[in-house]
Amino acid sequence: MDNNIIDEEVLKELNNMPVDELEKIQAKIKEAVKEIESLKEGDIYE
Amino acid sequence: MSSISKEIEKAVQLKTQIEEERPKAKEYENAIRYISELFASYTNAPDINSIFDSLFYQYYVDQIQSIVGEDYRISDEIRYLNCCTYFSKLADSKETALKITRSSINRELEGATDEKGKEDSEKKLRRFEDAVNVISNATIKESSYLLVNCPTLEHRNFKTDSLSEAASSAYKNYSEYTLNSVSTKLKFYDNYIGIIKFNKKLESLSDEDIIELYASMPNITEAIKKADIAISNLENEKETLNKELENKKSEVKIPSAEEIENDEKELKNIYDNIAFLGIDPEQNQRYISAKEALSRKKAMIENPESATEYSMEVSNIESQITEINKKIEEERNRKSSVENKEGIKDMPREEIENRLREASGLDFETLNILKNSNSLQYQSYNYMVQRDVINDILRKNESDIKIKTEKIEEQKLGLSRLIQDKEKLETSITELDSTIEEIKSKNEAISNFYNDPKLNYLLQLGRVYTMEQPKDITQEEINLASSFATVESEYEELITGLVLKESNNIEGELRIITRNAQEGRNNYDSWVEKLNNPSEKLSFGEKHQLKKSISFYEKERKAEDDEIIEKNNNFNNIIQKYISLCYERDKVILNYAKQNCAEAYEALKNKNTQGAYSYYGNVSRGLSVSSILCSNSLYLGAPLYGLRELNELRQRNEYQLNYYNSRISSTNEYIETLEAEIKQLQEKNAAERAYLSRLEKGELYPSLEEQALYNQLDTSELDINSEEYESEFKQQLGIGEESVGKTR
């Protein structure tokens, strides 16, 4: 269940972040999503 | 570390955890499989719910305690109460189930008579204890996979062969669910950052810059490109239709007699040219088309109304062209509207910003949800995420249902083949019964032959002549001698016929018996090979079926088949020699008897009584010897032997019939299991849909009032296992019996 909860604190933090900081965080997020998606697609259950 | 960095790190850790848990889950799945198999083999119980449930006892307790301790929900509380009742019933069965298996292995160990047997049992016991430890120590997610996959605690009905598949599938579901959740959440943050950046960018732009930005948006340029392609395609389509229209219009005109005449000449030319090439013009497309076109023209002259059909076709094409023209116009307008910067200049800035938002591909809807943020709206959003995950599960279940339905079709096909084989076998048994009857009557005939009073009298007579003093031949004796010759001839016929027929019978039946034994043995060898061949990708169910067949064969048939095959290899040769020897031997005896009979008859006719006595003596001795041999040889023995073998064959067919019946019954059982699984999936989907519907209506999350009420509850001194507590609890919250049946 915790996996789904969007943390309000995180949103506030993002709202107050400068653009260059946002860029860095977004790049990290994209990287993490990519890894997770590749794990989902890969043959992880065999 | 910032909150967002922690979130990212948490997601990555979760991903790593799933990767690391994989081998543990596999080990766990194998342990379940091993214990399940042992339990099933010792108790002959296909349903091992009790041991399975009991192995998860501690897990359930931990799970529920963690739910109550950390993230309390009304539906979880109800589930907790349900679980407590359930566990109280399971507590005993856990010990019983494990005790049965453990003591069975111990009994084996005690009963082992040789070193190898002892070693095997010790090994088995060690493996069993290891497997129990693996499952008992499963405090992490391995065990939760199964829980997640079970719609309700009360409805789990796993069979032995589907248990480890269920464990594996549950693990997959759990992993997919977790990965989907973290990925969705991260994508949300990604989108949110995109929106913040987008808004900041918009704020920094002048009105002119905004128009430029709009025109340069990838979506806009993409839209223009798409419109160009669409227009070009439509133009091509229009051109094709125009050509078709021209052709049709020319066909609509009623042809003149001269035109028909020319066409006929042309058709004949085509015919001659094609025929000249040695090709049948009636098979040639060019000739056929020309002929059809001429027929249409002729029909139009004979029946001018047929031209109307062409007119309708023409009109149809014209309306298609009009439709395409409209589409082209629409595409052009679309293109011009996105291209027209001048038009945009006149728009209010807010409108342009809205268009830019639309073109950005960012999810502003989510942003709007979060604009007026408070706890319940966040939950609404979270439920939306859940909705996507549930839809994924629904899709997956539907696909499982499809696969299982196909499996049922496959099984039904196999079943129909089995039934056909069974029917053949039944026919064969009926035929065997009739052959057995036939042989019985043959045996009777042979027995009767040996018991024939006439033959016995002759034999006795022979002895009398041999042992007593000679006396005058009477007329009666002459008559007897004459009939004796007839008997001898019948006897010869019988010997010859029987030896040949029965040798054929024996050979035939032996062939059938041996073939069946060999077939059985071949099947067995192929099962063993398939099972041990790592390149065969066998499902657990298939492996189980193979093991079952192998064990069934080893127990019921193998020793006997092996003996038949071995015996037959030697026996086939021996029987051939034996038949041949018997035949030759009896022919010699018969010829000797025949010769002496003839001599005796001649002697009697010549009143040479002394000579006749001597010949009769020879005949009698010959026949006596032959008779003794016959009783031990194939004449009588062969049909008897054949009868025994036929009875064995019949028994074997009975065994096969039972085997088919057992296969049919287990196939039916498998189909029923699949149908039950489909039903379970359908029920699961129905439950998911109901959950989804309530989720969308906002019925599932407790209202702020309910939360406040819960916060006031003091549960520390209550016996939460009691029915009173459950009832009081529900009363306080004002809810009915309800179980969502899911932990998300």
Side-chain angles (χ1 to χ4, degrees):
Chain A
M1 183 66 91
D2 283 340
N3 297 333
N4 293 329
I5 304 287
I6 301 295
D7 191 342
E8 199 174 355
E9 283 305 311
V10 175
L11 299 186
K12 276 183 193 163
E13 186 182 299
L14 291 175
N15 280 332
N16 296 325
M17 223 176 245
V19 174
D20 59 339
E21 209 48 43
L22 284 173
E23 298 278 2
K24 284 180 199 162
I25 289 292
Q26 201 175 23
K28 278 187 189 173
I29 289 176
K30 282 188 194 301
E31 184 57 33
V33 169
K34 206 170 131 191
E35 276 188 35
I36 288 167
E37 293 296 318
S38 74
L39 184 63
K40 268 164 65 182
E41 285 163 14
D43 190 18
I44 65 164
Y45 306 118
E46 297 305 321
Chain B
M1 191 188 280
S2 67
S3 310
I4 181 71
S5 299
K6 279 183 195 159
E7 285 279 338
I8 296 169
E9 191 167 301
K10 213 157 74 184
V12 173
Q13 274 171 0
L14 207 51
K15 179 216 125 197
T16 315
Q17 185 191 331
I18 285 174
E19 273 178 316
E20 286 171 358
E21 280 167 1
R22 181 176 54 186
K24 283 185 189 172
K26 195 77 200 164
E27 188 188 6
Y28 182 72
E29 185 189 326
N30 288 338
I32 291 178
R33 179 180 297 157
Y34 186 68
I35 292 186
S36 309
E37 283 172 0
L38 278 185
F39 185 68
S41 71
Y42 287 126
T43 61
N44 203 21
D47 186 343
I48 55 148
N49 278 343
S50 55
I51 188 168
F52 169 59
D53 287 336
S54 60
L55 290 168
F56 289 101
Y57 173 77
Q58 192 52 48
Y59 169 72
Y60 290 140
V61 173
D62 293 346
Q63 171 82 359
I64 286 155
Q65 277 173 356
S66 74
I67 289 168
V68 175
E70 290 169 12
D71 187 15
Y72 177 83
R73 299 256 148 83
I74 295 167
S75 56
D76 290 334
E77 179 67 17
I78 302 292
R79 291 184 72 232
Y80 177 53
L81 294 171
N82 284 341
C83 288
C84 287
T85 319
Y86 185 69
F87 291 145
S88 65
K89 291 177 194 165
L90 284 180
D92 291 340
S93 61
K94 172 191 177 184
E95 289 310 319
T96 312
L98 289 176
K99 211 183 280 175
I100 289 172
T101 313
R102 189 175 280 116
S103 61
S104 301
I105 305 174
N106 278 327
R107 265 202 308 280
E108 268 183 13
L109 189 59
E110 285 162 15
T113 50
D114 56 7
E115 274 307 306
K116 193 179 177 304
K118 203 175 159 194
E119 205 177 293
D120 286 349
S121 296
E122 276 172 352
K123 205 167 149 190
K124 196 189 274 182
L125 188 62
R126 274 200 303 278
R127 253 191 94 183
F128 170 75
E129 295 297 352
D130 286 348
V132 171
N133 282 337
V134 166
I135 296 170
S136 305
N137 293 333
T139 54
I140 52 160
K141 297 291 184 288
E142 301 98 298
S143 43
S144 75
Y145 310 141
L146 279 155
L147 185 66
V148 171
N149 202 39
C150 301
T152 64
L153 288 170
E154 294 79 7
H155 288 96
R156 270 174 296 116
N157 186 26
F158 292 122
K159 300 277 179 188
T160 307
D161 56 357
S162 63
L163 186 64
S164 58
E165 283 174 24
S168 163
S169 154
Y171 169 69
K172 287 178 194 175
N173 282 354
Y174 178 84
S175 307
E176 276 168 19
Y177 175 76
T178 308
L179 291 173
N180 276 343
S181 299
V182 293
S183 154
T184 310
K185 187 179 176 183
L186 288 180
K187 280 178 190 164
F188 168 78
Y189 287 134
D190 182 19
N191 179 61
Y192 190 76
I193 292 173
I195 290 169
I196 298 172
K197 279 162 56 187
F198 188 82
N199 283 340
K200 287 191 175 176
K201 176 86 176 163
L202 282 188
E203 279 168 22
S204 71
L205 292 175
S206 67
D207 288 355
E208 287 73 24
D209 287 344
I210 256 187
I211 292 166
E212 280 306 316
L213 177 66
Y214 177 75
S216 67
M217 287 294 287
N219 298 40
I220 303 296
T221 49
E222 189 64 23
I224 293 169
K225 208 187 285 175
K226 271 187 189 166
D228 280 339
I229 293 168
I231 291 167
S232 158
N233 288 342
L234 287 166
E235 291 285 4
N236 287 340
E237 204 178 324
K238 187 175 153 185
E239 198 182 328
T240 313
L241 282 171
N242 272 330
K243 277 182 192 161
E244 200 182 329
L245 186 64
E246 286 308 311
N247 289 339
K248 285 285 169 196
K249 276 181 178 170
S250 72
E251 285 177 7
V252 173
K253 280 192 295 180
I254 295 175
S256 64
E258 192 186 349
E259 194 179 337
I260 295 286
E261 200 179 320
N262 287 338
D263 280 4
E264 276 176 341
K265 278 181 193 167
E266 179 60 22
L267 186 68
K268 190 174 179 308
N269 275 340
I270 294 171
Y271 185 96
D272 291 343
N273 289 339
I274 293 167
F276 178 73
L277 295 170
I279 299 166
D280 178 7
E282 294 295 345
Q283 304 296 322
N284 180 275
Q285 195 52 46
R286 190 177 160 219
Y287 176 74
I288 293 166
S289 304
K291 197 175 160 186
E292 280 173 0
L294 182 62
S295 298
R296 277 200 298 274
K297 284 183 180 178
K298 282 182 177 175
M300 224 181 280
I301 292 172
E302 285 163 15
N303 179 17
E305 284 172 10
S306 66
T308 317
E309 286 174 27
Y310 289 100
S311 303
M312 281 169 71
E313 285 179 34
V314 167
S315 149
N316 186 25
I317 295 170
E318 280 172 345
S319 65
Q320 283 181 49
I321 292 172
T322 314
E323 197 58 36
I324 287 177
N325 280 335
K326 266 193 211 167
K327 282 184 187 168
I328 291 173
E329 194 52 32
E330 279 171 19
E331 286 297 334
R332 284 190 177 137
N333 287 343
R334 190 169 296 145
K335 185 182 169 189
S336 135
S337 78
V338 289
E339 273 179 336
N340 189 358
K341 282 190 206 170
E342 293 306 313
I344 291 170
K345 273 181 188 169
D346 300 333
M347 281 183 196
R349 180 170 172 128
E350 195 183 340
E351 175 63 22
I352 303 174
E353 284 184 3
N354 281 341
R355 284 189 172 211
L356 277 167
R357 282 192 185 97
E358 203 182 324
S360 72
L362 291 165
D363 182 5
F364 280 84
E365 196 188 341
T366 309
L367 184 73
N368 288 334
I369 290 168
L370 295 167
K371 259 185 187 170
N372 303 311
S373 62
N374 66 40
S375 169
L376 280 179
Q377 272 163 322
Y378 277 120
Q379 286 307 325
S380 302
Y381 173 76
N382 289 328
Y383 282 135
M384 282 170 64
V385 176
Q386 280 196 59
R387 181 190 60 193
D388 293 343
V389 176
I390 289 172
N391 278 328
D392 279 349
I393 291 171
L394 284 176
R395 270 193 294 277
K396 191 178 170 298
N397 285 348
E398 290 296 346
S399 143
D400 279 358
I401 288 173
K402 195 171 162 240
I403 291 167
K404 283 180 198 295
T405 310
E406 283 169 3
K407 263 192 189 171
I408 286 181
E409 288 308 313
E410 205 178 287
Q411 288 295 321
K412 280 187 177 164
L413 203 67
L415 192 63
S416 113
R417 279 200 294 268
L418 275 177
I419 289 170
Q420 276 176 10
D421 287 349
K422 184 189 160 186
E423 282 169 359
K424 275 186 204 160
L425 208 57
E426 279 170 343
T427 314
S428 147
I429 287 177
T430 315
E431 282 170 4
L432 274 175
D433 280 345
S434 106
T435 313
I436 287 169
E437 281 310 308
E438 201 182 313
I439 289 189
K440 272 183 184 168
S441 76
K442 272 186 193 171
N443 280 352
E444 204 181 327
I446 291 165
S447 295
N448 289 341
F449 173 78
Y450 283 110
N451 293 329
D452 189 332
K454 201 158 58 179
L455 180 66
N456 282 332
Y457 180 76
L458 280 169
L459 292 172
Q460 282 168 14
L461 190 66
R463 285 191 205 102
V464 169
Y465 283 138
T466 317
M467 293 166 69
E468 290 179 4
Q469 288 301 309
K471 57 180 180 179
D472 287 344
I473 303 293
T474 63
Q475 185 55 43
E476 191 189 0
E477 285 167 341
I478 293 171
N479 292 344
L480 264 173
S482 172
S483 66
F484 184 32
T486 316
V487 169
E488 168 254 89
S489 147
E490 283 172 5
Y491 184 52
E492 181 192 13
E493 197 185 325
L494 194 68
I495 289 172
T496 316
L498 279 179
V499 169
L500 288 175
K501 273 186 196 168
E502 299 316 327
S503 66
N504 284 340
N505 274 349
I506 290 170
E507 280 182 302
E509 301 312 340
L510 274 176
R511 265 199 300 276
I512 294 170
I513 292 161
T514 315
R515 191 186 62 211
N516 285 336
Q518 193 64 56
E519 255 177 30
R521 187 57 214 260
N522 289 349
N523 284 343
Y524 168 78
D525 290 344
S526 78
W527 294 334
V528 171
E529 192 192 335
K530 198 171 178 187
L531 187 68
N532 294 328
N533 187 354
S535 64
E536 293 278 355
K537 304 278 182 204
L538 297 173
S539 73
F540 183 69
E542 285 169 327
K543 278 187 188 166
H544 180 73
Q545 188 60 44
L546 277 178
K547 281 182 189 168
K548 210 167 150 188
S549 303
I550 288 169
S551 137
F552 192 68
Y553 182 81
E554 281 173 345
K555 195 172 155 196
E556 299 288 335
R557 286 295 319 163
K558 190 168 175 295
E560 202 174 332
D561 279 354
D562 284 350
E563 195 187 337
I564 289 174
I565 293 165
E566 193 191 338
K567 254 165 89 177
N568 186 61
N569 287 341
N570 303 323
F571 192 65
N572 240 352
N573 296 329
I574 293 168
I575 200 90
Q576 280 301 333
K577 281 182 191 166
Y578 187 52
I579 289 169
S580 154
L581 281 174
C582 286
Y583 184 73
E584 289 307 318
R585 179 202 63 201
D586 289 314
K587 285 294 277 183
V588 170
I589 293 167
L590 186 69
N591 284 335
Y592 177 74
K594 267 169 78 179
Q595 208 180 349
N596 280 287
C597 273
E599 294 290 348
Y601 185 53
E602 282 303 313
L604 281 170
K605 278 200 291 187
N606 298 326
K607 300 284 176 187
N608 177 6
T609 51
Q610 190 59 44
Y613 296 150
S614 167
Y615 288 126
Y616 277 135
N618 291 343
V619 172
S620 173
R621 274 193 300 278
L623 283 180
S624 293
V625 171
S626 178
S627 168
I628 292 160
L629 289 172
C630 280
S631 64
N632 294 323
S633 75
L634 291 175
Y635 310 133
L636 192 56
L640 281 175
Y641 179 79
L643 194 61
R644 184 165 62 80
E645 295 293 355
L646 281 180
N647 276 324
E648 277 181 13
L649 181 64
R650 195 186 183 287
Q651 262 179 1
R652 185 180 171 79
N653 282 352
E654 284 283 0
Y655 155 78
Q656 277 188 330
L657 195 62
N658 288 340
Y659 175 70
Y660 278 119
N661 279 333
S662 133
R663 283 274 305 277
I664 288 169
S665 141
S666 70
T667 308
N668 274 329
E669 212 174 273
Y670 185 47
I671 289 174
E672 274 172 28
T673 309
L674 284 171
E675 281 171 349
E677 282 172 3
I678 288 177
K679 199 175 164 218
Q680 203 179 38
L681 281 171
Q682 282 166 341
E683 280 173 7
K684 204 172 160 187
N685 272 6
E688 293 284 3
R689 285 200 183 95
Y691 180 79
L692 187 60
S693 155
R694 296 177 62 197
L695 193 68
E696 283 170 348
K697 288 179 193 161
E699 290 175 3
L700 289 180
Y701 195 74
S703 67
L704 292 174
E705 290 74 16
E706 283 173 335
Q707 285 187 37
L709 184 57
Y710 165 66
N711 290 333
Q712 290 164 15
L713 286 176
D714 178 9
T715 55
S716 58
E717 291 183 8
L718 283 174
D719 175 10
I720 52 176
N721 288 314
S722 68
E723 285 181 13
E724 288 78 6
Y725 171 74
E726 183 183 1
S727 155
E728 189 187 333
F729 179 75
K730 283 184 200 162
Q731 208 180 354
Q732 282 188 55
L733 296 178
I735 56 169
E737 179 69 38
E738 171 185 43
S739 177
V740 173
K742 285 268 165 208
T743 304
R744 303 224 174 255

